[in-house]
Amino acid sequence: MQRTLLFETFRFSIIFLIIALTLVPTLWMVSMAFKPIQEWSASGGDLTWWPKNPTLDNFRFIFGESSSELIVALERGAGRPILASLLSATFGTLIAMVAGTTAAYGLSRFNSGRNLPLALIQLRLFPPMAVMIPVMIMWAFLGLTDTWWGLALIYGIVTLPFAFWLMKTFFDDMPREIEDAALVEGCSRFRVFLKITLPMMRPALASSALFVFILNWSDYLIALLLTTRDWVTIPVYMASLSSSMTGQLYGAKAALGLIAAIPPVVMGIAIQKHLVRGLTFGALKE
Amino acid sequence: MASISFKNVSKRFGDNLALDNVSFEVKDNAFFCLFGPPLCGKSTILKIILGLIDPDEGEVLIDGRSVAGVAPAQRNIAMVFQNLALFPHMSAEQNVRFPLAERGVDPLEISNRVAEVAEKLNITHILSKPPSQLSGGERQRVAIARALVRDPNAYLMDDPISALDARLREQTRVELRRIQQELGKTLVYVTHDQEEAMSVADTMAIMEDGKIRQTGTPVDLYDSPNSTYVAKMLGSPAMNILPLDFAGKGKPISFSGNTPKTAISIGIRPEDLEIKLAKPSNGASVVNVEPLGSFTTLMLDTSGKQLLATLRGQTKIQTGDHVAIMVNPERAHFFDKSGAAAQAAG
């Protein structure tokens, strides 16, 4: 009994520690987003866990107005970067998922291009920097620099291997007989894909899309190199939030970070019910 | 209505020869059973009939016409898959409707046909449920319903009732036989259960390692197997196969009759052995007695070789008793060195 109690204490302290390591920084960000400058800046000398005078100043500030005399209002608000991030990450995810899913299906079913899977994963072995300089030149040549569609295109290309590999594993695990049955019952190959495979793969598609979206959403390097002004994304914009008087604008960064956390969280919650359901539950006899 | 025939069909998967020069013919309206151990190529044959895989060599004819290059959907053959392969994202009803809906059948007609087949297979009450909420037996019936709902040239079934418990299996196979006769359709049925194969088939083919070893009616195959392999595959308990010098006058198995010249072994079905209590001299001893009600299985030991004998009803013979074994020459089978049946010499 004693030993069990000791063990349980130990177990829960470890769990508590892990949770603290993960959640306290997040909590800190949330609390900082609602603090006035005196509370979040070191110059105020008054660091607290919870905002003493909660305010939405930080949010107002990043959208272009300033209520504090200490900081000059921003020349450009966060609205445009948020739009840039949403557009580039969403369409980048779309490109990666459409191309990745169809490629994965083809390779999984017809075993054509046997070296392609490895070639695709090799794309990820390059240090991104080595690839990005040529990409910058190409994008400049094509007129894609500093556009959301240029960014979406490169996001789609960069995350394609992930989408491909995730979907290929799911397709490989799907029992062939279900598709065979549909073929026998009168479907063409393409119709089988649309009517049987894709609906069955909904959980797989949802989780892969979420994963790819998060990768695109949190990119900094590519956006830094390929956007300059009109279509900078949230991470790039966030890095630029500083002032000559106070240095890094942590309050504003925290507010923006809080906003940036919303889309992945919403997506995650939205697809949760698909994630917990088994892929082929009930289709086969055990 | 369709006959199906295979002419010298071979299929390789990598280095593995899945089908080796297979030829057979399924007559129109026949209940044809492919029987063999797992992985002997039974399912491959079905997939080739369906057009899901193409043979490397040889020809497949349906109704006398070669089906090379004909897509599965155009062959109009229905299939019940071994793992059922129900569509998990559809309800049982949608599963059963699927083949008709895909062929653009009139919705009213679909509803009638679905209702009819659901009635026949007793699944009307579960039609609205998804496969995940059905029991194994219910899923099986839904899968069979999906195959029966349309009007194909032939039905193929890959071990469809193996997941059911023994009693339900016996019922279902009788039911399948009845449905097949009612529909008057060709049915190719795959199983690894010899009792099931013998009970339902008009004609059966016994397979081993991608080859068909013998084709014929169940009774033919049982009474005149062409090899020790076929002899052992059918019948439970299996046929006793002994070196020839165990049988003859004054030998452990008393036998008087001609033996073919090439024969090296003799095969006797357990029910063909005649057993009598005897003195402990030249005979055999009883090692074990299994009273199974309608018959009794005896395990006999004769000079180190073990034999199984079945006697009708119950017996007074007990473990430890000594017995004399006799066999009617007409019920004995002979096999040569290669295991093939040896022809009786005149």
Side-chain angles (χ1 to χ4, degrees), chain A residues 126-141 145 154 158 221-222 224-226:
Chain A
F126 278 102
M129 270 314 238
V131 192
M132 279 318 294
I133 303 304
V135 169
M136 277 175 76
I137 298 167
M138 283 193 278
W139 256 233
F141 180 76
T145 313
I154 190 70
V158 168
L221 178 70
I222 297 173
L224 182 69
L225 294 175
L226 290 183

Side-chain angles (χ1 to χ4, degrees), chain A residues 175 177-188 191 195-196 199-200 277 279-286, chain B residues 50 52 72-73 77 81-90 98-99 102-103 131-132 139-140 146 150 159 162-163:
Chain A
E177 285 80 5
I178 296 177
E179 290 187 344
D180 286 349
L183 279 176
V184 170
E185 299 304 352
C187 286
S188 66
R191 220 172 138 65
K195 290 262 300 183
I196 305 294
M200 274 181 67
R277 287 189 53 191
L279 265 181
T280 60
F281 189 60
L284 311 172
K285 68 187 179 194
E286 288 77 32
Chain B
L50 290 170
L52 293 172
I77 290 174
F81 284 84
Q82 183 168 25
N83 57 16
L84 305 182
L86 294 174
F87 307 129
H89 57 293
M90 299 181 184
F98 189 84
E102 280 305 304
R103 286 179 163 75
S132 56
R139 283 179 205 169
Q140 207 118 31
R146 186 175 65 182
R150 63 193 173 92
D159 219 347
S162 59

